[in-house]
C-alpha cells in the first residue's frame, strides 16, 4: 500500500508534491457540491481524466451527454475537420438566459455596432466568454481540461455558480483542432505502459513526424484566425462573429521545463492598432489567474514571453474585434508523465492548471463584466471616429483577369464582417484601371475599420525588432490583388453591397465544333483545369509567345502561357473533350475560346513550334524526418485541395531509383534532408539527369545548392571580424533581430519565362522567412525572378539582411543532365493564403519541362 501511495504521489503531483490518489477533487475548487444527476467524466469514460489521453470521439460523446442532461447547456456542431471530426460549441448559461438566448445574443452583437449600441445598457447585460482548447493537438492538457470545466459548469451547485451563469454566456469549444488532438492522443496512449515512464527518451515523449500539433494538412491552426484557409477556422470565426465574445481563451502548452504562462505578453511587441485599454483589461484579468495559481502553489510567469503582434493568432484576433484574447501556456508533460527541472511533471498536473485558469477567467469576466462590455462598445465607437479622421477613405481592388482569386479575396473579407461594395463607375487611381463588374470598393467608414486597416496596411517601422511570428501579412499583397487607397470620400463610386456569393463561372466562347480551344493561364484555377484535361488524356500545349486571333467575340490577344488544345491530334472523342471543356469553364472560372482556324492575326500560329507540348506531371513530395512538415503540407494542400491533382507523399529516407522511376516531378518543400545520405543524393541526381524536374524551395533550395544540384553561389556575408564587446544580457535580442521571421518583398518578374507565365505585371510581392540569399546566375536567362533594389514592401528586416537581399535571386532554373532543377528561395504557398505566388509552383510543375536547355544555368 505504501508503495502504491508513493507511485501515486509521483503520478499525480509535482511542484510541490501532494500525496493522494487521482480524484476529480484534485482538479476542482474545494468546497463545491455537484448535482449527482450529471455524470462525472470518470463515470462516463470509465477512467479518470489524466489517466489516459482522451480520444476526440469520447470528448464529443461526453459533451453531448452533458448537453442532454443539463438545462444550462445547449450544443451545436459548427464545422467538421478534414477527417470529418465534429467541432463543437457548448453554450452554457442559466436556464433563464437560455429561454431568452436569441435576444441576449442580438443585443450583445449590437454593442459592436455604433449605430445601435448607444441605447444599450451594458450593466444589465451578460458578459460573453469564449473558451477554446488545444488548437495545437499535441498540447493536450487544454483539451483534457475542457470536460472537467464543462462538468463543473453543468453540475456545480452554489450561489456563486448561479450568479456566474446569470451574468455570463460561456461558449465552450472543447477542441479547436480535433485531427491533431486525436493524432497525439493515439500516440501517447499507444506508448503508455502499465507503469508510466517519465524518461524523456521514452518514445511516448518523442512523436514521429509530423506530430500532432497541426491539422490534417499539417497547418498550424493558430496562425489561421485571420487567413481562414481551413474548415476549422472558418467555422470557428463564424461562431466568433455570431457572438463577438468579450474574452476568448486559448489554452496551449510549451516546453517541459517551463512553468505556466498567462498574458499580458511582451509589452513592446503589442500590435499598434490595438487600443491601450485592451492591455489594461488583460492585466486586470491576469490578477485572477495569479490568485488561482497561488492557491494551488503553481509556478507561473507573465510579460516575459509571447506577444500580441500577429493578429492571426487566437489570443490576438479578439483584440482587434472589441474583445480580449488571453493566451495560456502550460509546461508540457508531452505524454503521461515526464521528468523536468521541477521534478516529475504529470499530465494531471498540467490539466489542473488549465482547469483553474479557465475558472479564474470566468471569475474575472463576472467581476469585470461591465468594464468588458463598455470596452466593446467604446472600441467600435472609437473605431468609427478614427475612420472619420483617416486619410484613406476607401480601398478599390479587383483583378479583371482572375475572377476566382478576386472572389476568394472578397469571401475572406466578408468572413471578417468587412463590408464590400460593387464599384459603381470606372476609377483610375495612380495609373491603375478599375472597372465596374470586376472591381470592388471597401469604405473605411465601417465598424471593422481597425481590422480592415490591419489587413491592408504596409508597416515597415517597428518598436521592437523581435517577433513571435510574422511581421507582415498585408492581404492584398498576398493575393497579388491590384488595389489602391482612395483619399476622397465619395458616395458616387460606391455601389451595392456585395452579398456572399458562389464561385464565379467562366464561359465557353464560340461554337463547340472547334478547330482548337484556348484559355489563358491567368485564372487562379488554370492549373486545375489543365490537370483535369491531362488526366482525361487530352493533349495540351502551352504558348511560349503571345498571339492574336479571331474569336467569336472579335480578335483577341492571348498572352504567354496560354493553354491550347488542338482537336486534330487528340485520341479521345471530340464529345468527351467538349464535355470536359464545358465543365472546366464552369468549375474553374475560366473563359475558354473555341477557335475556328489555326491562322492568327499576329504572333505565333496554332501549329507553330513555339507551342510547347506539355507532359502531365507525375508528382512526389519528399516528406518525413528531415523535412519541414508545414511546407510539405502546404504543397500537398495546394495540389490536393485546390488543384485536384494526384500527388504521392514519399518518405525521403526510403527513396531509391525504382521508387522514383514513376515520377517526372519531385518537390522538396524545405528541410535539412538529413536522411538523404550520399547514396540517396546520387540517386536523386541521377533521376534528375534522366530528364526529370526537381523543384526545391525555401531551405530545400539551400540544400540543393550545397549538394551541387545547381551551380550557383550564396550571397557572401560582409563578415568583418569584430572584437566589440557586447552585453551578454542582450545576446538573444541581438541575434533575434537578424532573423527574418516573415516579411513581404518585391521581386522583378520576367514575364516571358515559363516560370512566370500567368502574371500580368513585371513585379510580384513574395513572402520570405529565412535567410537563404542566392546570387543571380551567370547564365542571364536562368534567374527569371530577382529581388528589386528596394525590395521591402511590408514587415521587418535588419539592415545587413536587406543589403544581402537586394538584387539577389528569387528563382533559378538550373541544368542537371537532361533534366532541370528549379530553385525558389521562398515558400510559394505560405499558409495557403499566398494566392499570388502559388502560381509559381504550378508553373514549375507544369512548365518546368518546357524550359529550353540553353537558358538553364549550366553545370559545373
Ligand atoms: Zn501551442
Amino acid at each position: 500500500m505504501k508503495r502504491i501511495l508513493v507511485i501515486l504521489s509521483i503520478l499525480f503531483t509535482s511542484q510541490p508534491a501532494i500525496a493522494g490518489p487521482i480524484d476529480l477533487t484534485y482538479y476542482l475548487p474545494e468546497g463545491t457540491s455537484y448535482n449527482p444527476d450529471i455524470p462525472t467524466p470518470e463515470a462516463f469514460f470509465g477512467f479518470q481524466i489524466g489517466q489516459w489521453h482522451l480520444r476526440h470521439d469520447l470528448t464529443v460523446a461526453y459533451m453531448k451527454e452533458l448537453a442532454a442532461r443539463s438545462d444550462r447547456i445547449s450544443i451545436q456542431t459548427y464545422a467538421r475537420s478534414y477527417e470529418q471530426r465534429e467541432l463543437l460549441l457548448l453554450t452554457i448559461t442559466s436556464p433563464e438566459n437560455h429561454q431568452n438566448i436569441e435576444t441576449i445574443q442580438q443585443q450583445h452583437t449590437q454593442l459592436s455596432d455604433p449605430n445601435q449600441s448607444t441605447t444599450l445598457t451594458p450593466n444589465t447585460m451578460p458578459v460573453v466568454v469564449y473558451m477554446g482548447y488545444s488548437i495545437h493537438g499535441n498540447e493536450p492538457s487544454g483539451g483534457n481540461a475542457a470536460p472537467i470545466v464543462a462538468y463543473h459548469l453543468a453540475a456545480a451547485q452554489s450561489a456563486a455558480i448561479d450568479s456566474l451563469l446569470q451574468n455570463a454566456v460561456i461558449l465552450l469549444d472543447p477542441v479547436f483542432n480535433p485531427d491533431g488532438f486525436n493524432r497525439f492522443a493515439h500516440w501517447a496512449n499507444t506508448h503508455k505502459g502499465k507503469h508510466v515512464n517519465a524518461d524523456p527518451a521514452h518514445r511516448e515523449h518523442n512523436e514521429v513526424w509530423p506530430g500532432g500539433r497541426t491539422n490534417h494538412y499539417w497547418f498550424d491552426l493558430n496562425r489561421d484566425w485571420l487567413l481562414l484557409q481551413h474548415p476549422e477556422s472558418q467555422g470557428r470565426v463564424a461562431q466568433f462573429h455570431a457572438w463577438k465574445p468579450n474574452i476568448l481563451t486559448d489554452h496551449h502548452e510549451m516546453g517541459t521545463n517551463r512553468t505556466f504562462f498567462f498574458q499580458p505578453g511582451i509589452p513592446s511587441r503589442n500590435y499598434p492598432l490595438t487600443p491601450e485599454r485592451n492591455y489594461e483589461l488583460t492585466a486586470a484579468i491576469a490578477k485572477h489567474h495569479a490568485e488561482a495559481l497561488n492557491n494551488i502553489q503553481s509556478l507561473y510567469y507573465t510579460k516575459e514571453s509571447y506577444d500580441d503582434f500577429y493578429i492571426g493568432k487566437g489570443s490576438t484576433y479578439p483584440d482587434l474585434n472589441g474583445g480580449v484574447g488571453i493566451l495560456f501556456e502550460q509546461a508540457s508533460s508531452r505524454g503521461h508523465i515526464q521528468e523536468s527541472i521541477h521534478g516529475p511533471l504529470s499530465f494531471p498536473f498540467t490539466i489542473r492548471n488549465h482547469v483553474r485558469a479557465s475558472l479564474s477567467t470566468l471569475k474575472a469576466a463576472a467581476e469585470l463584466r461591465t468594464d468588458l462590455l463598455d470596452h466593446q462598445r467604446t472600441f467600435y465607437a472609437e473605431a468609427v471616429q478614427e475612420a472619420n479622421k483617416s486619410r484613406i477613405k476607401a480601398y478599390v481592388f479587383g483583378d479583371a483577369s482572375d475572377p476566382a482569386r478576386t472572389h476568394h479575396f472578397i469571401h475572406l473579407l466578408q468572413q471578417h464582417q468587412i463590408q464590400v461594395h460593387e464599384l459603381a463607375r470606372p476609377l483610375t487611381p495612380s495609373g491603375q484601371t478599375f472597372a465596374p463588374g470586376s472591381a470592388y470598393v471597401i469604405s473605411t467608414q465601417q465598424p471593422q475599420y481597425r481590422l480592415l486597416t490591419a489587413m491592408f496596411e504596409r508597416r515597415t517601422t517597428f518598436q521592437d525588432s523581435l517577433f513571435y511570428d510574422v511581421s507582415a501579412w498585408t492581404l492584398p499583397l498576398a493575393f497579388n490583388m491590384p488595389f489602391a487607397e482612395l483619399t476622397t470620400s465619395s458616395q458616387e463610386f460606391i455601389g451595392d453591397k456585395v452579398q456572399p456569393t458562389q464561385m464565379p463561372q467562366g464561359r465557353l466562347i464560340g461554337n463547340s465544333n472547334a478547330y482548337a480551344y484556348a484559355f489563358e493561364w491567368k485564372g487562379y484555377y488554370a492549373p486545375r483545369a489543365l490537370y483535369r484535361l491531362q488526366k482525361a488524356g487530352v493533349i495540351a500545349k502551352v504558348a511560349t509567345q503571345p498571339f492574336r486571333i479571331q474569336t467569336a467575340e472579335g480578335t483577341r490577344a492571348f498572352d504567354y502561357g496560354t493553354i491550347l488544345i488542338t482537336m486534330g491530334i487528340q485520341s479521345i472523342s471530340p464529345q468527351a473533350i467538349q464535355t470536359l471543356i464545358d465543365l472546366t469553364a464552369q468549375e474553374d472560372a475560366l473563359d475558354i475560346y473555341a477557335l475556328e482556324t489555326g491562322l492568327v492575326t499576329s504572333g505565333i500560329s496554332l501549329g507553330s513550334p513555339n507551342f510547347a507540348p506539355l507532359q502531365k506531371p507525375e508528382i512526389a513530395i519528399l516528406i518525413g524526418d528531415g523535412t519541414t512538415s508545414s511546407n510539405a503540407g502546404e504543397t500537398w494542400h495546394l495540389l490536393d485541395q485546390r488543384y485536384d491533382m494526384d500527388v504521392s507523399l514519399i518518405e525521403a529516407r526510403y527513396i531509391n531509383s525504382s521508387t522514383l522511376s514513376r515520377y517526372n516531378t519531385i518537390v522538396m518543400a524545405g528541410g535539412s534532408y538529413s536522411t538523404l545520405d550520399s547514396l540517396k543524393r546520387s540517386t536523386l541526381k541521377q533521376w534528375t539527369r534522366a530528364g526529370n524536374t526537381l523543384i526545391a524551395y525555401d531551405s530545400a533550395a539551400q540544400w540543393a545548392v550545397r549538394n551541387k544540384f545547381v551551380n550557383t553561389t550564396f550571397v557572401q556575408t560582409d563578415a568583418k571580424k569584430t572584437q566589440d564587446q557586447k552585453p551578454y544580457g542582450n545576446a538573444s535580442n541581438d541575434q533575434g533581430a537578424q532573423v527574418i521571421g516573415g516579411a513581404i518583398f518585391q521581386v522583378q518578374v520576367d514575364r516571358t519565362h515559363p516560370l512566370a507565365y500567368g502574371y500580368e505585371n513585371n513585379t510580384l510581392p513574395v513572402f520570405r522567412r529565412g535567410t537563404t540569399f542566392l546570387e543571380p546566375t551567370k547564365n542571364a536567362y536562368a534567374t527569371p525572378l530577382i529581388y528589386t533594389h528596394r525590395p521591402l514592401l511590408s514587415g521587418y528586416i535588419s539592415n545587413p539582411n536587406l543589403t544581402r537581399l537586394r538584387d539577389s535571386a528569387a528563382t533559378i532554373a538550373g541544368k542537371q543532365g537532361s533534366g532541370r532543377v528549379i530553385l525558389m528561395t521562398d515558400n510559394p504557398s505560405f499558409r495557403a493564403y499566398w494566392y499570388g505566388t502559388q502560381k509559381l509552383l504550378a508553373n514549375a510543375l507544369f512548365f518546368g519541362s518546357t524550359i529550353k536547355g540553353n537558358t538553364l544555368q549550366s553545370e559545373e
Side-chain angles (χ1 to χ4, degrees):
M1 187 64 192
K2 193 179 169 196
R3 191 162 155 235
I4 291 169
L5 276 180
V6 170
I7 290 168
L8 287 172
S9 87
I10 292 170
L11 250 179
F12 306 123
T13 66
S14 69
Q15 48 148 321
I18 310 161
I22 189 162
D23 187 288
L24 196 55
T25 56
Y26 171 73
Y27 296 110
L28 291 168
E30 277 176 12
T32 310
S33 64
Y34 289 92
N35 177 353
D37 294 338
I38 305 291
T40 63
E42 187 177 18
F44 190 82
F45 298 131
F47 56 88
Q48 186 56 271
I49 296 267
Q51 283 181 308
W52 293 91
H53 283 244
L54 278 177
R55 298 196 321 258
H56 184 257
D57 58 310
L58 292 179
T59 301
V60 169
Y62 182 63
M63 294 302 178
K64 288 185 174 175
E65 180 71 9
L66 287 184
R69 298 281 193 104
S70 170
D71 59 1
R72 298 170 177 176
I73 300 181
S74 67
I75 194 166
Q76 59 174 313
T77 300
Y78 66 75
R80 279 180 179 269
S81 68
Y82 287 108
E83 295 173 19
Q84 299 306 306
R85 292 192 174 87
E86 292 179 70
L87 286 129
L88 298 177
L89 194 66
L90 283 69
T91 303
I92 309 173
T93 189
S94 68
E96 294 78 6
N97 285 343
H98 267 299
Q99 299 296 323
N100 202 21
I101 196 77
E102 277 159 25
T103 309
I104 291 172
Q105 182 173 8
Q106 192 184 26
Q107 286 193 348
H108 185 80
T109 53
Q110 283 172 355
L111 274 180
S112 303
D113 180 355
N115 289 326
Q116 304 187 70
S117 64
T118 47
T119 57
L120 296 169
T121 46
N123 58 353
T124 65
M125 295 165 66
V127 66
V128 177
V129 184
Y130 196 125
M131 310 183 79
Y133 300 89
S134 294
I135 199 162
H136 294 143
N138 62 3
E139 300 175 5
S141 49
N144 282 269
I148 302 173
V149 176
Y151 168 76
H152 175 79
L153 295 173
Q157 292 176 314
S158 66
I161 194 93
D162 289 342
S163 164
L164 171 69
L165 294 175
Q166 197 58 41
N167 287 304
V169 174
I170 300 154
L171 306 167
L172 192 143
D173 192 330
V175 180
F176 276 151
N177 171 15
D179 294 347
F181 184 77
N182 218 60
R183 205 151 67 226
F184 185 73
H186 177 71
W187 177 264
N189 290 338
T190 298
H191 296 95
K192 185 190 175 194
K194 180 179 167 192
H195 302 278
V196 291
N197 191 332
D199 177 0
H202 180 52
R203 193 166 190 246
E204 176 180 356
H205 310 305
N206 300 281
E207 285 178 280
V208 289
W209 194 101
R213 176 182 175 89
T214 51
N215 79 347
H216 175 78
Y217 285 98
W218 314 329
F219 279 73
D220 186 337
L221 288 177
N222 198 34
R223 305 296 180 269
D224 197 45
W225 287 78
L226 181 71
L227 316 175
L228 301 183
Q229 299 300 309
H230 299 285
E232 298 93 339
S233 323
Q234 290 163 5
R236 186 192 327 117
V237 166
Q239 294 303 318
F240 179 94
H241 285 293
W243 269 106
K244 298 195 182 285
N246 300 98
I247 298 179
L248 184 140
T249 63
D250 188 20
H251 297 259
H252 288 252
E253 290 185 1
M254 56 185 167
T256 304
N257 288 328
R258 299 261 186 114
T259 57
F260 189 84
F261 172 89
F262 51 80
Q263 279 182 324
I266 295 172
S268 62
R269 299 188 209 163
N270 288 335
Y271 184 57
L273 296 184
T274 304
E276 201 53 38
R277 180 67 179 146
N278 177 283
Y279 302 110
E280 293 165 13
L281 288 165
T282 305
I285 295 166
K287 287 183 184 156
H288 292 266
H289 310 317
E291 186 192 338
L293 296 170
N294 290 343
N295 286 342
I296 55 172
Q297 299 197 312
S298 243
L299 294 175
Y300 57 85
Y301 74 110
T302 180
K303 287 187 180 173
E304 293 165 63
S305 296
Y306 307 100
D307 67 44
D308 265 329
F309 192 83
Y310 171 52
I311 62 168
K313 300 198 306 292
S315 53
T316 312
Y317 182 76
D319 300 347
L320 268 284
N321 285 282
V324 179
I326 305 288
L327 172 69
F328 296 110
E329 295 273 357
Q330 162 64 48
S332 182
S333 57
R334 202 75 78 215
H336 293 85
I337 191 165
Q338 191 172 167
E339 292 164 9
S340 81
I341 60 170
H342 301 108
L345 177 62
S346 75
F347 188 40
F349 178 84
T350 67
I351 295 169
R352 182 173 66 161
N353 282 339
H354 277 310
V355 171
R356 298 303 175 96
S358 300
L359 300 183
S360 61
T361 300
L362 294 175
K363 193 157 170 266
E367 216 156 280
L368 298 166
R369 180 176 60 88
T370 310
D371 289 343
L372 289 160
L373 293 165
D374 279 338
H375 170 65
Q376 184 170 20
R377 177 159 69 174
T378 307
F379 178 96
Y380 282 102
E382 287 179 355
V384 170
Q385 289 163 17
E386 281 176 28
N388 289 335
K389 287 184 256 165
S390 167
R391 179 184 64 82
I392 301 166
K393 300 302 178 197
Y395 300 97
V396 59
F397 70 92
D399 191 331
S401 303
D402 189 358
R405 190 159 40 88
T406 306
H407 162 79
H408 288 303
F409 189 65
I410 293 172
H411 183 55
L412 176 57
L413 295 165
Q414 289 177 330
Q415 289 178 84
H416 291 295
Q417 309 294 303
I418 288 168
Q419 293 159 27
V420 181
H421 290 259
E422 307 273 356
L423 180 65
R425 63 170 176 78
L427 284 181
T428 53
S430 54
Q432 300 185 79
T433 302
F434 295 96
S438 60
Y440 301 86
V441 191
I442 309 166
S443 169
T444 53
Q445 318 291 300
Q446 55 176 305
Q448 286 296 61
Y449 167 74
R450 282 172 170 151
L451 188 66
L452 170 66
T453 305
M455 292 167 90
F456 274 70
E457 74 166 4
R458 273 176 279 184
R459 187 175 285 274
T460 52
T461 53
F462 301 90
Q463 192 189 344
D464 203 321
S465 52
L466 272 71
F467 300 87
Y468 182 69
D469 197 72
V470 300
S471 62
W473 52 82
T474 315
L475 284 157
L477 297 182
F479 275 72
N480 191 29
M481 183 61 58
F483 79 110
E485 298 168 350
L486 303 178
T487 51
T488 51
S489 178
S490 171
Q491 286 304 311
E492 66 191 79
F493 54 74
I494 295 183
D496 292 342
K497 189 172 161 188
V498 179
Q499 300 304 322
T501 52
Q502 296 296 308
M503 253 277 286
Q505 292 192 351
R507 298 179 300 145
L508 173 65
I509 296 153
N511 293 324
S512 51
N513 189 16
Y515 176 82
Y517 295 96
F519 62 87
E520 289 201 294
W521 194 245
K522 293 172 183 175
Y524 181 75
Y525 290 108
R528 182 165 80 187
L530 174 57
Y531 191 80
R532 187 201 296 272
L533 294 163
Q534 287 182 323
K535 194 174 177 181
V538 175
I539 300 165
K541 292 181 175 180
V542 63
T544 67
Q545 299 285 337
F547 61 98
R548 179 172 270 278
I549 194 167
Q550 185 69 34
T551 75
E553 296 181 344
T555 67
R556 185 185 192 282
F558 288 85
D559 210 346
Y560 292 97
T562 293
I563 301 300
L564 181 71
I565 296 130
T566 50
M567 294 303 284
I569 60 167
Q570 303 295 337
S571 56
I572 63 171
S573 75
Q575 291 74 19
I577 293 180
Q578 182 60 49
T579 306
L580 276 168
I581 292 284
D582 285 337
L583 191 69
T584 298
Q586 281 170 31
E587 293 193 352
D588 300 328
L590 296 170
D591 286 346
I592 303 182
Y593 290 83
L595 306 174
E596 303 292 334
T597 173
L599 207 57
V600 296
T601 55
S602 67
I604 55 175
S605 302
L606 300 198
S608 160
N610 282 314
F611 279 97
L614 295 173
Q615 56 178 186
K616 173 171 163 271
E618 307 292 342
I619 304 167
I621 305 173
L622 296 193
I623 65 154
D625 283 348
T627 73
T628 309
S629 61
S630 56
N631 288 26
E634 285 155 0
T635 302
W636 179 28
H637 175 264
L638 176 68
L639 272 48
D640 187 38
Q641 286 283 332
R642 301 268 171 82
Y643 293 164
D644 281 344
M645 294 172 76
D646 300 312
V647 54
S648 297
L649 308 174
I650 306 290
E651 284 267 346
R653 63 180 148 177
Y654 294 141
I655 62 166
N656 58 47
S657 53
S658 97
T659 54
L660 295 188
S661 63
R662 61 186 289 162
Y663 311 109
N664 56 31
T665 310
I666 288 177
V667 181
M668 300 176 73
S672 65
Y673 295 93
S674 50
T675 64
L676 294 182
D677 57 22
S678 62
L679 185 66
K680 291 190 167 55
R681 291 196 295 271
S682 95
T683 301
L684 196 57
K685 212 174 258 183
Q686 286 310 316
W687 171 89
T688 313
R689 297 182 70 80
N692 296 306
T693 303
L694 182 70
I695 301 165
Y697 72 74
D698 202 332
S699 45
Q702 215 177 87
W703 179 90
V705 172
R706 280 217 190 88
N707 288 286
K708 305 209 180 317
F709 278 71
V710 180
N711 173 23
T712 189
T713 51
F714 296 105
V715 175
Q716 293 306 307
T717 46
D718 184 25
K720 88 171 158 64
K721 286 261 187 299
T722 170
Q723 300 298 325
D724 294 348
Q725 187 194 37
K726 290 182 179 174
Y728 172 86
N730 293 354
S732 60
N733 279 3
D734 289 350
Q735 287 153 8
Q738 298 310 318
V739 169
I740 303 179
I744 302 173
F745 301 93
Q746 187 180 56
V747 299
Q748 187 80 32
V749 176
D750 173 8
R751 293 183 60 251
T752 73
H753 196 283
L755 294 179
Y757 288 166
Y759 288 108
E760 290 201 304
N761 296 327
N762 295 327
T763 58
L764 176 71
V766 300
F767 185 82
R768 159 170 286 243
R769 64 183 347 181
T771 49
T772 300
F773 303 103
L774 293 177
E775 294 283 3
T777 51
K778 291 201 179 76
N779 185 323
Y781 305 103
T783 313
L785 277 80
I786 193 160
Y787 279 91
T788 60
H789 193 65
R790 297 168 64 86
L792 180 62
L793 292 176
S794 190
Y796 170 78
I797 184 171
S798 73
N799 284 327
N801 281 334
L802 185 59
T803 304
R804 292 201 281 165
L805 186 64
R806 60 168 48 116
D807 306 317
S808 71
T811 299
I812 287 174
K815 189 175 172 61
Q816 188 62 241
S818 10
R820 63 220 63 81
V821 180
I822 296 164
L823 304 183
M824 302 179 194
T825 54
D826 307 308
N827 175 352
S829 191
F830 183 65
R831 292 181 181 167
Y833 81 109
W834 269 80
Y835 277 62
T837 48
Q838 285 164 344
K839 190 155 282 168
L840 294 174
L841 184 57
N843 290 349
L845 296 170
F846 286 98
F847 307 141
S849 63
T850 73
I851 303 172
K852 290 177 184 161
N854 61 350
T855 68
L856 295 170
Q857 169 72 356
S858 62
E859 301 171 71
E860 294 195 34

